[in-house]
Amino acid sequence: MTSITRRSLTFGLGAAAALTAASPPIAARAAARSAVLPTVASRKVGNVEVTAISDGFIDVPFGVFTGAPAQEIEAAFAARFARRPAGMHRLGFTVWLVDDGERLVLIDSGYAGGGAPTTGRLPAALAALGVRPGAIGAVLITHMHADHISGLVAEGGPAFPDADVFVHRADVAHYTDPARAAAAPALMKTSFEATARVVASVPRLQRLDGERALTRVISAVDLSGHTPGHTGYRIADGGESLLIVGDALFHPALHPTRTDLGIVFEPDPPAAERMRKRLFAQAAEERALLAATHMPFPGFGRIVRDGGGLHWAPADWELGG
Ligand SMILES: [Zn+2]
């Protein structure tokens, strides 16, 4: 009682001073928040719990997107009120934790501090959720780009020691090809280097071929085009389903409205466009619930046909879950 009275008195006598003392600068608070609090959101698919976890973000120039001049891309973001200062787009990295009641499965593994110190939040988020690395039974990789696979390696060994790691055979072949690695522009080399680290450090790497069931509730879906072995993962239970589509969509300013826009990391842009045309039309037809790595967090949503065009409709989720 005494302390409350004293605090009230202090506030009353010097509100401005007390507020200043109690509130660290916004930047310091943001740093503290990202260090302490994981960014997670979950939703149920039947009885399966799917938790979206943000591994962090990188600010990238609009010029990373292909198929239109950077000014046109920037204008598309501005029209969505999503343009950031200095011509940059804040690209987020989402990883999913799937609990089917029998085992824990991760889909992708994040950037692990690559590219910028604003990535690599997955381990702290898993710890905050009470999930030990050894408790992960499998990791399913959408494709061998550095922002999706770097988190597979920790201190030179497998970050998830008891997990089988699945990735499409075509991506392993592409990103371990010495001739392609040598010819790759500087921007693309990180994915060849990350793949080399994964192949050397993760003994339980399994090479996937085509579409097949991987667990009781998860199956691999062919979304090749963004990379040669780009793979989606369908989670189905109790009459509901969620399709994790990796890098099929980047932002509602671009996708699904246009299928001709991509990103510089795509080795075969026409193949990427074919994949987007096929997936977007099919997902709209089926009203499929999707989740994509780089869509604004947590990235759950549907493709809807409206007035002849395709649009993104964000779906529900539960904070913290
Ligand atoms: Zn990506």
Side-chain angles (χ1 to χ4, degrees), residues 55-318:
D55 186 60
F57 64 87
I58 291 180
D59 289 334
V60 297
F62 290 109
V64 300
F65 298 107
T66 57
Q71 301 92 306
E72 189 180 328
I73 300 284
E74 186 168 0
F77 277 85
R80 290 269 180 161
F81 303 99
R83 182 186 173 278
R84 300 187 73 84
M88 303 294 269
H89 168 55
R90 180 151 290 183
L91 190 72
F93 306 98
T94 300
V95 174
W96 298 270
L97 175 68
V98 182
D99 182 353
D100 68 359
E102 291 172 5
R103 65 174 179 168
L104 294 172
V105 175
L106 268 185
I107 299 180
D108 283 342
S109 66
Y111 214 157
T118 48
T119 70
R121 296 177 182 174
L122 176 65
L126 289 176
L129 292 169
V131 176
R132 292 176 297 103
I136 301 293
V139 187
L140 315 180
I141 296 297
T142 59
H143 61 293
M144 290 302 251
H145 279 168
D147 52 323
H148 298 254
I149 61 171
S150 294
L152 289 172
V153 178
E155 294 167 11
F160 306 101
D162 295 322
D164 290 313
V165 176
F166 292 90
V167 62
H168 197 282
R169 181 181 301 279
D171 262 31
V172 180
H174 182 96
Y175 287 100
T176 55
D177 181 337
R180 289 184 198 278
L187 205 57
M188 313 274 271
K189 288 210 190 292
T190 53
S191 292
F192 288 91
E193 291 160 3
T195 300
R197 280 196 298 276
V198 167
V199 170
S201 311
V202 180
R204 294 174 66 168
L205 190 70
Q206 317 276 339
R207 289 159 175 79
L208 270 175
D209 280 308
E211 302 191 324
R212 69 174 174 99
L214 294 168
T215 75
R216 185 178 62 82
V217 299
I218 307 178
S219 52
V221 175
D222 176 7
L223 293 180
S224 56
H226 172 67
T227 62
H230 184 245
T231 299
Y233 295 100
R234 187 186 306 280
I235 301 158
D237 191 55
E240 297 181 344
S241 76
L242 164 66
L243 179 59
I244 306 281
V245 298
D247 283 15
L249 303 97
F250 284 107
H251 190 278
L254 312 178
H255 300 138
T257 309
R258 288 179 60 172
T259 54
D260 59 332
L261 303 178
I263 199 160
V264 291
F265 305 104
E266 293 175 335
D268 184 351
E273 182 173 3
R274 284 196 298 277
M275 176 270 289
R276 292 194 169 100
K277 273 187 176 153
R278 180 171 62 90
L279 171 68
F280 294 176
Q282 189 179 346
E285 177 84 11
E286 296 175 355
R287 302 176 177 219
L289 177 64
L290 309 179
T293 307
H294 305 296
M295 288 296 258
F297 189 81
F300 295 116
R302 291 180 177 79
I303 293 174
V304 293
R305 197 174 289 280
D306 179 14
L310 296 176
H311 302 275
W312 181 250
D316 289 344
W317 47 280
E318 297 166 39

